[in-house]
Coordinates of all heavy atoms in Angstrom, one line a residue:
W1152 N 84.4 106.9 104.9 CA 85.5 107.0 105.9 C 86.1 108.5 105.9 O 86.4 109.0 106.8 CB 86.5 105.9 105.9 CG 85.9 104.6 106.3 CD1 85.7 103.5 105.5 CD2 85.3 104.3 107.5 NE1 85.1 102.5 106.1 CE2 84.9 102.9 107.4 CE3 85.3 104.9 108.7 CZ2 84.2 102.2 108.4 CZ3 84.6 104.1 109.8 CH2 84.1 102.9 109.6
F1153 N 86.3 108.9 104.7 CA 87.0 110.2 104.5 C 86.1 111.3 104.8 O 86.5 112.5 105.0 CB 87.7 110.3 103.1 CG 89.1 109.7 103.3 CD1 89.3 108.4 103.1 CD2 90.2 110.4 103.3 CE1 90.6 107.7 103.2 CE2 91.5 110.0 103.5 CZ 91.7 108.6 103.3
F1154 N 84.8 111.1 104.7 CA 83.9 112.2 105.2 C 84.2 112.5 106.7 O 84.3 113.6 107.2 CB 82.4 111.7 105.1 CG 81.4 112.8 105.8 CD1 81.1 113.9 105.1 CD2 81.0 112.4 107.0 CE1 80.2 114.7 105.7 CE2 80.1 113.3 107.7 CZ 79.6 114.4 107.0
W1155 N 84.3 111.4 107.5 CA 84.6 111.6 108.8 C 86.0 112.0 109.2 O 86.2 112.8 110.1 CB 84.3 110.4 109.6 CG 82.8 109.8 109.5 CD1 82.3 108.8 108.7 CD2 81.8 110.4 110.3 NE1 81.0 108.8 109.0 CE2 80.6 109.7 109.8 CE3 81.6 111.4 111.2 CZ2 79.4 110.0 110.3 CZ3 80.3 111.7 111.7 CH2 79.2 111.1 111.3
L1156 N 86.9 111.5 108.4 CA 88.3 112.1 108.6 C 88.4 113.5 108.2 O 89.1 114.3 108.9 CB 89.3 111.2 107.8 CG 89.5 109.7 108.2 CD1 90.4 109.0 107.2 CD2 90.1 109.7 109.5
G1157 N 87.6 114.0 107.2 CA 87.6 115.4 106.8 C 87.1 116.2 108.0 O 87.4 117.3 108.2
W1158 N 86.1 115.6 108.6 CA 85.4 116.3 109.8 C 86.5 116.5 110.9 O 86.6 117.6 111.5 CB 84.2 115.6 110.3 CG 83.6 116.1 111.6 CD1 83.3 117.4 111.9 CD2 83.5 115.3 112.8 NE1 82.9 117.5 113.2 CE2 82.9 116.2 113.8 CE3 83.7 114.0 113.1 CZ2 82.6 115.7 115.1 CZ3 83.3 113.6 114.4 CH2 82.7 114.5 115.4
V1159 N 87.1 115.4 111.1 CA 88.2 115.5 112.3 C 89.1 116.5 111.8 O 89.7 117.3 112.7 CB 88.9 114.1 112.4 CG1 90.2 114.2 113.2 CG2 87.9 113.1 113.0
R1160 N 89.7 116.6 110.6 CA 90.6 117.6 110.2 C 90.2 119.1 110.4 O 90.8 119.9 110.8 CB 90.9 117.4 108.6 CG 91.7 118.4 108.0 CD 91.4 118.5 106.4 NE 92.3 119.4 105.8 CZ 91.9 119.9 104.6 NH1 90.8 119.4 103.9 NH2 92.7 120.7 104.0
S1161 N 88.8 119.2 110.2 CA 88.2 120.6 110.2 C 88.2 121.1 111.7 O 88.5 122.3 111.8 CB 86.8 120.6 109.6 OG 85.9 119.9 110.6
Y1162 N 87.9 120.3 112.7 CA 88.0 120.9 114.0 C 89.2 120.7 114.8 O 89.4 121.2 115.9 CB 86.7 120.3 114.8 CG 86.9 118.9 115.4 CD1 87.4 118.7 116.6 CD2 86.3 117.8 114.7 CE1 87.5 117.4 117.1 CE2 86.4 116.6 115.2 CZ 86.9 116.4 116.4 OH 87.0 115.1 117.0
T1163 N 90.3 120.1 114.2 CA 91.6 120.0 114.8 C 92.7 120.6 113.9 O 93.8 120.1 114.0 CB 91.9 118.6 115.2 OG1 91.8 117.7 114.1 CG2 90.9 118.1 116.3
A1164 N 92.3 121.4 113.0 CA 93.3 122.0 112.1 C 94.4 122.7 112.8 O 95.4 122.9 112.2 CB 92.6 123.0 111.1
W1165 N 94.2 123.2 113.9 CA 95.2 123.9 114.8 C 96.3 122.9 115.4 O 97.3 123.5 115.8 CB 94.5 124.7 115.9 CG 93.5 123.9 116.7 CD1 92.3 123.7 116.3 CD2 93.8 123.2 117.9 NE1 91.7 122.8 117.3 CE2 92.6 122.5 118.2 CE3 95.0 123.0 118.7 CZ2 92.5 121.8 119.4 CZ3 94.8 122.2 119.7 CH2 93.6 121.6 120.1
L1166 N 96.0 121.7 115.3 CA 97.0 120.8 115.9 C 98.2 120.5 114.9 O 98.1 120.8 113.8 CB 96.4 119.4 116.1 CG 95.4 119.2 117.3 CD1 94.9 117.7 117.3 CD2 96.2 119.3 118.6
P1167 N 99.5 120.4 115.5 CA 100.6 120.2 114.7 C 100.4 119.1 113.6 O 99.9 118.0 113.9 CB 101.7 119.9 115.7 CG 101.2 120.3 117.0 CD 99.8 120.1 116.9
Q1168 N 100.9 119.4 112.5 CA 101.0 118.4 111.3 C 99.7 117.9 110.8 O 99.6 116.9 110.1 CB 101.9 117.2 111.7 CG 103.3 117.6 112.2 CD 104.1 116.3 112.4 OE1 104.0 115.2 111.7 NE2 105.0 116.4 113.4
T1169 N 98.6 118.5 111.2 CA 97.4 118.1 110.6 C 97.2 118.0 109.2 O 96.8 117.1 108.5 CB 96.1 119.0 111.2 OG1 96.1 118.8 112.6 CG2 94.8 118.6 110.7
E1170 N 97.6 119.2 108.5 CA 97.5 119.2 107.0 C 98.5 118.3 106.3 O 98.0 117.6 105.4 CB 97.8 120.7 106.5 CG 97.5 120.9 105.1 CD 96.1 120.6 104.7 OE1 95.2 120.7 105.6 OE2 95.8 120.4 103.5
A1171 N 99.6 118.1 106.9 CA 100.7 117.2 106.3 C 100.2 115.8 106.4 O 100.3 115.0 105.4 CB 102.0 117.3 107.1
L1172 N 99.5 115.5 107.5 CA 99.0 114.0 107.7 C 97.8 113.8 106.8 O 97.6 112.7 106.3 CB 98.6 113.8 109.2 CG 99.7 113.6 110.1 CD1 99.3 113.7 111.6 CD2 100.6 112.4 109.8
W1173 N 97.0 114.8 106.6 CA 95.8 114.8 105.7 C 96.2 114.6 104.3 O 95.7 113.7 103.6 CB 95.0 116.1 105.9 CG 93.9 116.2 104.8 CD1 93.8 117.0 103.8 CD2 92.6 115.5 104.9 NE1 92.6 116.8 103.1 CE2 91.8 115.9 103.8 CE3 92.1 114.5 105.7 CZ2 90.6 115.3 103.6 CZ3 90.8 113.9 105.4 CH2 90.0 114.3 104.3
Q1174 N 97.3 115.3 103.8 CA 97.8 115.0 102.5 C 98.4 113.7 102.4 O 98.3 113.1 101.3 CB 98.7 116.0 102.2 CG 98.2 117.6 102.1 CD 97.1 117.7 101.0 OE1 97.2 117.0 100.0 NE2 96.2 118.5 101.3
E1175 N 99.1 113.2 103.3 CA 99.7 111.8 103.4 C 98.5 110.8 103.2 O 98.6 109.8 102.3 CB 100.4 111.6 104.6 CG 101.0 110.1 104.8 CD 102.2 109.9 103.9 OE1 102.6 110.8 103.0 OE2 102.8 108.8 104.2
L1176 N 97.4 110.9 104.0 CA 96.3 110.1 103.9 C 95.7 110.0 102.5 O 95.2 109.0 102.0 CB 95.2 110.2 105.0 CG 95.6 109.9 106.4 CD1 94.6 110.5 107.4 CD2 95.8 108.4 106.5
L1177 N 95.5 111.2 102.0 CA 94.8 111.3 100.6 C 95.7 110.6 99.6 O 95.3 109.9 98.7 CB 94.8 112.8 100.1 CG 93.8 113.6 100.9 CD1 93.8 115.1 100.3 CD2 92.4 113.0 100.8
L1178 N 97.1 110.8 99.7 CA 98.0 110.1 98.8 C 97.8 108.5 98.9 O 97.8 107.8 97.9 CB 99.4 110.5 99.0 CG 100.6 109.8 98.3 CD1 100.4 109.9 96.8 CD2 101.9 110.2 98.7
L1179 N 97.9 108.1 100.1 CA 97.9 106.7 100.4 C 96.5 106.1 100.0 O 96.4 104.8 99.6 CB 98.1 106.3 101.8 CG 99.6 106.7 102.2 CD1 99.8 106.5 103.7 CD2 100.7 105.9 101.5
R1180 N 95.4 106.9 100.1 CA 94.1 106.5 99.7 C 94.1 106.3 98.2 O 93.6 105.3 97.8 CB 93.0 107.6 100.1 CG 91.6 107.2 99.6 CD 90.7 108.4 99.8 NE 91.0 109.5 98.8 CZ 90.3 110.6 98.7 NH1 89.3 110.9 99.6 NH2 90.6 111.5 97.8
E1181 N 94.7 107.2 97.4 CA 94.7 106.9 96.1 C 95.6 105.8 95.6 O 95.2 105.1 94.6 CB 95.1 108.3 95.4 CG 94.3 109.5 95.6 CD 92.8 109.2 95.2 OE1 92.6 108.7 94.0 OE2 92.0 109.4 96.1
M1182 N 96.7 105.6 96.3 CA 97.6 104.5 96.0 C 97.0 103.3 96.2 O 97.2 102.2 95.5 CB 99.0 104.7 96.8 CG 99.8 105.9 96.3 SD 101.2 106.1 97.4 CE 102.0 104.5 97.1
R1183 N 96.1 103.1 97.4 CA 95.4 101.9 97.6 C 94.4 101.6 96.5 O 94.3 100.4 96.1 CB 94.8 102.0 98.9 CG 94.0 100.7 99.4 CD 93.7 100.8 100.9 NE 92.6 101.8 101.0 CZ 91.8 102.0 102.1 NH1 92.2 101.3 103.1 NH2 90.9 102.9 102.2
A1184 N 93.7 102.6 96.0 CA 92.8 102.4 94.9 C 93.6 102.0 93.6 O 92.9 101.3 92.8 CB 91.9 103.6 94.7
D1185 N 94.6 102.7 93.4 CA 95.4 102.3 92.2 C 95.8 100.8 92.2 O 95.7 100.2 91.3 CB 96.8 103.2 92.2 CG 96.4 104.6 91.8 OD1 95.4 105.0 91.3 OD2 97.4 105.5 92.1
Y1186 N 96.2 100.4 93.4 CA 96.8 99.1 93.6 C 95.6 98.1 93.3 O 95.7 97.1 92.6 CB 97.3 98.8 95.0 CG 97.9 97.4 95.2 CD1 99.2 97.2 94.8 CD2 97.0 96.4 95.7 CE1 99.7 95.9 95.0 CE2 97.6 95.1 96.0 CZ 98.9 94.9 95.5 OH 99.4 93.7 95.7
W1187 N 94.4 98.5 93.9 CA 93.2 97.6 93.6 C 92.9 97.5 92.2 O 92.6 96.3 91.6 CB 92.1 98.1 94.5 CG 90.9 97.1 94.6 CD1 90.7 96.2 95.5 CD2 89.8 97.1 93.7 NE1 89.5 95.6 95.4 CE2 88.9 96.0 94.2 CE3 89.4 97.8 92.5 CZ2 87.7 95.7 93.6 CZ3 88.2 97.4 91.9 CH2 87.4 96.4 92.4
A1188 N 92.9 98.6 91.5 CA 92.7 98.6 90.0 C 93.7 97.9 89.2 O 93.4 97.3 88.2 CB 92.5 100.1 89.6
A1189 N 94.9 97.9 89.6 CA 96.1 97.3 88.9 C 95.9 95.8 89.0 O 96.6 95.2 88.1 CB 97.3 97.8 89.4
Q1190 N 95.1 95.3 89.9 CA 95.0 93.8 89.9 C 94.0 93.4 88.8 O 93.9 92.2 88.4 CB 94.3 93.4 91.2 CG 95.0 93.8 92.4 CD 96.5 93.5 92.3 OE1 96.9 92.4 92.3 NE2 97.4 94.6 92.5
Q1191 N 93.3 94.3 88.1 CA 92.3 94.1 87.1 C 92.6 94.7 85.7 O 92.0 94.2 84.7 CB 90.9 94.5 87.6 CG 90.5 93.9 89.0 CD 89.3 94.5 89.5 OE1 88.2 94.3 89.0 NE2 89.4 95.3 90.6
V1192 N 93.4 95.7 85.7 CA 93.7 96.3 84.4 C 95.2 96.4 84.4 O 96.0 96.2 85.4 CB 93.1 97.6 84.3 CG1 91.6 97.5 84.1 CG2 93.5 98.6 85.3
D1193 N 95.8 96.7 83.2 CA 97.3 96.9 83.1 C 97.7 98.1 83.8 O 97.2 99.3 83.6 CB 97.6 97.1 81.5 CG 99.0 97.2 81.2 OD1 99.9 97.3 82.3 OD2 99.4 96.9 80.1
P1194 N 98.6 98.0 84.8 CA 99.1 99.1 85.5 C 99.7 100.3 84.6 O 99.5 101.4 85.0 CB 100.3 98.5 86.4 CG 99.9 97.1 86.6 CD 99.3 96.7 85.3
L1195 N 100.3 99.9 83.6 CA 100.8 100.9 82.7 C 99.7 101.7 82.0 O 99.8 103.0 82.0 CB 101.6 100.2 81.5 CG 102.3 101.1 80.5 CD1 103.3 102.1 81.3 CD2 103.1 100.3 79.5

């Protein structure tokens, strides 16, 4: 999915807030994977 989102980012980089929204999605993507992993290992 982030391959396609990265493509969208590349051809609409001139739109307002594109980079800020991309960075937000990257952060939330990692937090979602963190949460999934934390169900199986110690979060600490």
Side-chain angles (χ1 to χ4, degrees):
W1152 293 114
F1153 273 80
F1154 170 86
W1155 296 105
L1156 292 174
W1158 170 55
V1159 169
R1160 173 204 183 199
S1161 69
Y1162 76 87
T1163 57
W1165 48 275
L1166 285 177
Q1168 299 187 38
T1169 295
E1170 188 59 27
L1172 288 168
W1173 173 252
Q1174 294 300 325
E1175 175 79 351
L1176 285 174
L1177 290 180
L1178 171 62
L1179 295 173
R1180 177 189 75 179
E1181 297 307 310
M1182 290 174 61
R1183 185 171 66 174
D1185 287 341
Y1186 183 87
W1187 193 90
Q1190 308 308 301
Q1191 305 172 66
V1192 298
D1193 187 345
L1195 183 58

